Amino acid sequence: MNEAVEYVRRRTPLRPLIGVILGSGLGDFAEAIEERTEIPYYEIPGWPKATAVGHAGKLVVGRVGVREVAVMAGRAHLYEGYSAAQVVFPVRVLGQLGVRGLVVTNAAGGINLSYRRGGLVLISDHINLQGANPLVGPNDESLGPRFPDMSEAYSRRYREIARAVAAELGIELSEGVYAAVLGPSYETPAEIRYLRTIGADLVGMSTVPEVIAANHMGMKVLAISCVTNMAAGILPQRLTHDEVLQTGRMVRETLVRFLKALVPRLEV
Ligand code: HPA
C-alpha cells in the first residue's frame, strides 16, 4: 500500500481531501476535473484493474473549484473475482493520501416502486448480502479499530448538504437503503421481493466494501445511486447491462452538475 501511496504522491503535488468513486457508465465527472493528473490504474503498484464494461480505469487527481479531489473512474467488484481486500485497496490508498470524505456513486436496480429509471437516490444505509467483508483477517490498527461502528455509515451531515445542493439545482433526489449482492447475475423476482421485505429500496453489486473500509478509517461517506433500471420482476421486461449503461448516459449530465456543486461544499 505504501508503494501505491508514494507513487501517487510523486505524480501530483495536490493533496486531495475528498475522494470520489464513479460507477458503471457514470465516469464523466472525471473529465470535469481541473488541473488534472490522470493515472491509469495499471501504473499504480497493487491497484486492481477495472474490467467491467463501462468502467474507465483511471485515477484523476485535480481540483473542483478550490477543493482538491481524487476521482476514481471505474472500480473493482467482488464479482470480477477480486477479494474484498483488493476491492478496497484504492480506498485505503486514498485514505493514506489524506482523503477525509468519500463520495461513492453506483448504478443500482430500483426496488422501491416510487423510484423511476434515471432517478438519483441518496443512500441512507445499507444491507450487506455479499457474503464478504473487507475487514476480515488480521486488523491493521493503524487504519482503524477491529470492530468499527456502522451506525452512521452514510454521514448525516453530508446527506443534509447533498439534499440542499440538489434542491438549489432543482435535481430530484430520493433517499433509500441499498442492498449489496455479489452478482454478477441479476436477481430473480423472488429475490427482489425478499429484498423489499427486509427493507431494501435499491440493489447493486458494489459500494458496500468501499463504504465499510472508509468507515473503518474514519472517513465521512456520501453515496448516490443512479436507478439505471427497475429491479427484476417489476416491469414485464428482461434486465440487460445495455439498459444500465444507457440510463447512465441519460443521467450523466445531471450527475456531473450535481457533483460539481456538491464536492466543494462537503466539509472535511
Ligand atoms: N441489480 C443488481 N445490480 C445492478 C442492477 C440490478 O438490477 N442495476 C444496476 N446494477
Side-chain angles (χ1 to χ4, degrees), residues 135-158:
L135 307 183
V136 168
N139 186 54
D140 183 343
E141 292 287 331
S142 72
L143 297 181
R146 171 77 289 188
F147 301 109
D149 175 56
M150 291 290 286
S151 44
E152 199 188 316
Y154 300 83
S155 159
R156 216 170 266 285
R157 181 72 192 122
Y158 274 13

Side-chain angles (χ1 to χ4, degrees), residues 3-244:
E3 256 186 88
V5 174
E6 283 312 312
Y7 184 81
V8 177
R9 281 211 179 111
R10 277 201 303 274
R11 290 288 305 268
T12 170
L14 299 185
R15 295 294 171 257
L17 293 174
I18 295 285
V20 182
I21 304 178
L22 302 173
S24 301
L26 305 174
D28 275 16
F29 179 63
E31 311 310 316
I33 306 303
E34 298 144 29
E35 292 175 50
R36 65 174 188 266
T37 302
E38 294 194 2
I39 313 173
Y41 289 162
Y42 62 80
E43 290 183 3
I44 310 173
W47 198 287
K49 292 153 200 62
T51 63
V53 178
H55 285 265
K58 64 184 176 192
L59 178 67
V60 181
V61 183
R63 289 182 205 275
V64 182
V66 294
R67 188 41 69 65
E68 298 180 16
V69 297
V71 179
M72 288 170 55
R75 60 148 69 84
H77 302 83
L78 290 171
Y79 65 70
E80 294 173 86
Y82 290 112
S83 68
Q86 285 175 304
V87 167
V88 304
F89 179 88
V91 169
R92 288 176 164 162
V93 171
L94 295 188
Q96 304 276 47
L97 281 168
V99 164
R100 304 299 308 146
L102 185 68
V103 179
V104 188
T105 67
N106 63 46
I111 294 174
N112 187 317
L113 298 175
S114 76
Y115 296 168
R116 56 176 183 81
R117 181 179 171 205
L120 296 178
V121 183
L122 208 50
I123 299 180
S124 57
D125 205 345
H126 74 225
I127 302 173
N128 181 10
L129 299 172
Q130 295 192 306
N133 188 304
L135 307 183
V136 168
N139 186 54
D140 183 343
E141 292 287 331
S142 72
L143 297 181
R146 171 77 289 188
F147 301 109
D149 175 56
M150 291 290 286
S151 44
E152 199 188 316
Y154 300 83
S155 159
R156 216 170 266 285
R157 181 72 192 122
Y158 274 13
R159 278 185 279 149
E160 268 172 29
I161 297 168
R163 279 194 299 266
V165 170
E168 285 165 27
L169 298 179
I171 294 171
E172 205 183 307
L173 190 63
S174 315
E175 197 154 333
V177 172
Y178 177 91
V181 295
L182 181 59
S185 50
Y186 289 118
E187 302 68 41
T188 63
E191 285 166 344
I192 294 303
R193 290 192 298 274
Y194 159 74
L195 292 175
R196 183 179 295 123
T197 302
I198 64 171
D201 298 297
L202 300 153
V203 60
M205 304 172 192
S206 67
T207 301
V208 161
E210 291 102 316
V211 170
I212 292 172
N215 273 276
H216 181 233
M217 296 181 84
M219 290 183 206
K220 278 198 203 157
V221 174
L222 181 80
I224 303 161
S225 280
C226 167
V227 179
T228 53
N229 56 281
M230 291 312 286
I234 294 177
L235 301 175
Q237 63 190 48
R238 297 166 71 88
L239 271 55
T240 66
H241 189 51
D242 270 351
E243 180 185 11
V244 170

